[in-house]
Each structure stands twice: as structure tokens, then as C-alpha cells.
Amino acid sequence: MGIVLLIVASDDDGGGGDFEPSAAGSLRVGKGFVPAKYAGLIEQAAADCDAGLPAAVLAAQIMQESGFNPNAQSKDANGKPIADGIAQFIPSTWATAGVDGNGDGKKDVWDPEDAIPAQGQMMCKLLKTAKKHPEYNGSPIELALAGYNAGWGRVQQYNGVPPAAFADGQTYNYVKVIMANVEKLTAPDTSGASGASGEWGPPVEGKLGTPYHQQGGAWSSGYHTGIDFAVSTGTSVRAVGPGKVVAAGPGGAYGNQVVIRHPDGMYSQYAHLSRVRVSVGDSVSGGQLVGLSGETGNAFGPHLHFEIRTGPDYGSDISPLPYLRKKGIGI
């Protein structure tokens, strides 16, 4: 059994102002964002996962499950309780997945200090499983969310995120809403942000090639994790927006790559470059030259491979074009 969806609006902002960065700088904390009293628990739960689980994903999940209400309880049509607490565990799942997060000798589903670490561990296991199935429809994060909501058996049944026709769209919409809220709950990166312009633009001047999530044996994951731009070697590649360089250089199958963390907490990746023109730690402005296109790594001919991610590493990709269009980039 998985977790039953509960959508709750909450006025509990946990203190703070309209925006206050958390200590780790990964979550937005305050009214309308993540309650301050839970931010540290969420960030620690994400950090404890070695599969690349963003804290904002856990936060967006809790927002959707309970509205950050530790006393939330969902009930069936007859008023019978079916899921409890801030992470909305059903009793049978809590019996196997519950943890004593605060070390007080008790696994308490109503205690966020137990429920949030348990949520993080469960999502981490699901994410690791999801990464073993690149042939499934959906990114590893999306698959893990679907497994949390409906059970991994449903993900297997549909070879990916269950469609809108399943359970009146409950799981489909659950995943969609959470992924949409990840950006909202991610804190801006204020380190080294001075001097970076707010301009956003396309990464390169060229026609679109291979689309997002096209499947095939040409990719080690079994599907295309970004979009391609058909450009010749040596074409200027520019940062789509302001941010800080977190990777610059050899990237395995990606060849020479650049990865940039943007103020909204999302990441852009530029791969198969013939030349890299920035270094890790550099602050860049939108439109700044970061490299030259090429065909290094696992590439068949020159082009730019471009990704948008919720984290810096492979497996956290989201569809790039909707994100770019929200930034006013007409591709």
C-alpha cells in the first residue's frame, strides 16, 4: 500500500517573514513557503539520502500531503481514518517504514521529528528503485513521488507515472502539483549573486533537435534527459539566466559540461562542449558565454545537449521548455 493523497490548505506559516533563507539555504522559509520549525528536519532528511533527493521535493510533498499540519488526518467517505500526520502515512506503511527520528524510543507518526525522516527514507528508497527503470515514463523523482502516493506496484503496472485515467487522476495530479511547487519552495542562491543580471535567454542560436524523454538505445538511461540544439562545433553557448557555476569540465557521457545553479534553486546543464569558458564558483549573468558547442562524450555529431534539473546531478531532470517559457524564453 502507498500513501493516500490529502490536499489541505494551511495558515500555519511557522513564523518568519515573507522570505527568510534557511540555514542551509536550500528551502524558502516563511509565510506561504516552508514553516521554519520544519525546514531543518526536511533539509536533514534530504541530506541523509545518497540518491540526490532535493529538500524542496520533500517540502512540496508535505505541502501537498498535509499543508505542513502535523495533526492532519484523512478519512474515507464513511469517516474512517486512513492516513495520519504531517507526511500522511497509512498505519500499515508506518508499521514498516516508521522510524524513531529523534531517538526518544518511540516511533510516533504524529511527531514530525519521526515522520519527516521516515518520509525522507521512504522517498530515498523509491528514488533508488526509480533510477533502475529509465524505460519508465517519468523522471526518477516523478516515479518516486508516484510510488509514494500509489505504491510502487502501480508504477510497475503502468511502466511509469499512472495516467490521469487511474484513480480519477489522483496520482497523476499529485506528481504534477508537487513538481510545480518545487521551484516555489527552493530558496534563491544569494551567494555570489551580486552583479548577475536578471536577463533570461536561449542557450544557443539554433534549431531544436532531439526532444525531451525520447526513448532509445542511444542514451545510457534509455531515454533523452534533456533537449538538443542542432548547432555546429564552436557555436557560442550562453547561460540561460543568472546564477553560479557548480560544475565545469569533464562530465562522463556528457563530455565537457557546465552546470549552473540559478537564483530560483533550479539548475541548467550545457553538455558535449568543445570548450568550457567558466570555472566552478563563477557567478554568471544571463547571456554570458559559458562555452562552445561540440561533440565530446556520448554524442553522435555536434550539438548542444541542454537540461533543466531540480538538483545538480543526473536523474533530477524536468522538461526544459515549460521552464524556459516561464522565464519568457520563446523556444
Side-chain angles (χ1 to χ4, degrees):
M1 288 292 291
I3 307 302
V4 179
L5 171 65
L6 175 67
I7 302 177
V8 178
S10 174
D11 292 325
D12 178 15
D13 58 50
D18 289 338
F19 171 70
E20 178 185 347
S22 62
S26 63
L27 293 176
R28 273 192 164 181
V29 179
K31 186 176 177 61
F33 301 112
V34 181
K37 57 188 174 182
Y38 303 133
L41 286 170
I42 295 169
E43 288 172 347
Q44 186 60 56
D48 287 342
C49 178
D50 59 0
L53 178 61
V57 170
L58 292 180
Q61 190 177 14
I62 294 173
M63 174 184 279
Q64 182 73 351
E65 291 281 359
S66 67
F68 296 107
N69 179 7
N71 300 313
Q73 184 176 69
S74 58
K75 301 178 180 180
D76 63 18
N78 297 318
K80 181 181 178 180
I82 50 179
D84 303 321
I86 197 167
Q88 286 296 279
F89 278 96
I90 62 175
S92 60
T93 304
W94 182 255
T96 57
V99 301
D100 178 15
N102 57 10
D104 65 357
K106 181 180 179 182
K107 299 178 182 179
D108 185 359
V109 72
W110 300 104
D111 188 344
E113 293 183 358
D114 292 343
I116 292 175
Q119 173 207 5
Q121 289 186 24
M122 186 171 176
M123 277 293 292
C124 190
K125 290 179 181 178
L126 287 166
L127 183 56
K128 290 179 179 180
T129 301
K131 287 185 175 183
K132 298 177 182 178
H133 294 279
E135 75 278 11
Y136 283 1
N137 178 35
S139 70
I141 290 291
E142 291 170 326
L143 296 174
L145 288 169
Y148 190 95
N149 178 256
W152 186 254
R154 293 298 188 181
V155 177
Q156 291 178 309
Q157 177 183 348
Y158 290 102
N159 290 321
V161 177
F166 168 73
D168 295 324
Q170 174 180 293
T171 302
Y172 176 86
N173 290 319
Y174 175 86
V175 173
K176 185 177 180 180
V177 170
I178 289 173
M179 294 302 293
N181 280 330
V182 168
E183 179 179 345
K184 173 185 175 182
L185 299 182
T186 302
D189 184 0
T190 57
S191 58
S194 59
S197 79
E199 296 179 356
W200 289 79
V204 71
E205 294 297 331
K207 295 182 179 180
L208 285 174
T210 306
Y212 180 63
H213 268 200
Q214 179 169 311
Q215 296 190 5
W219 305 286
S220 58
S221 61
Y223 65 91
H224 198 222
T225 52
I227 56 175
D228 286 347
F229 291 86
V231 292
S232 59
T233 296
T235 301
S236 295
V237 176
R238 303 183 184 279
V240 294
K244 186 174 183 179
V245 178
V246 298
Y254 287 113
N256 295 324
Q257 66 166 349
V258 171
V259 179
I260 298 171
R261 188 181 195 277
H262 299 288
D264 60 8
M266 303 296 280
Y267 296 77
S268 59
Q269 182 212 31
Y270 315 76
H272 305 312
L273 303 177
S274 60
R275 294 287 187 273
V276 172
R277 299 302 194 198
V278 291
S279 301
V280 172
D282 286 352
S283 293
V284 298
S285 57
Q288 181 174 328
L289 181 71
V290 297
L292 302 178
S293 62
E295 53 182 313
T296 57
N298 184 18
F300 300 94
H303 67 281
L304 172 68
H305 175 85
F306 176 81
E307 294 187 17
I308 293 294
R309 300 167 168 176
T310 61
D313 301 318
Y314 164 81
S316 60
D317 54 278
I318 65 171
S319 183
L321 291 181
Y323 175 83
L324 293 178
R325 288 165 182 159
K326 285 182 180 180
K327 300 296 185 181
I329 304 172
I331 296 177

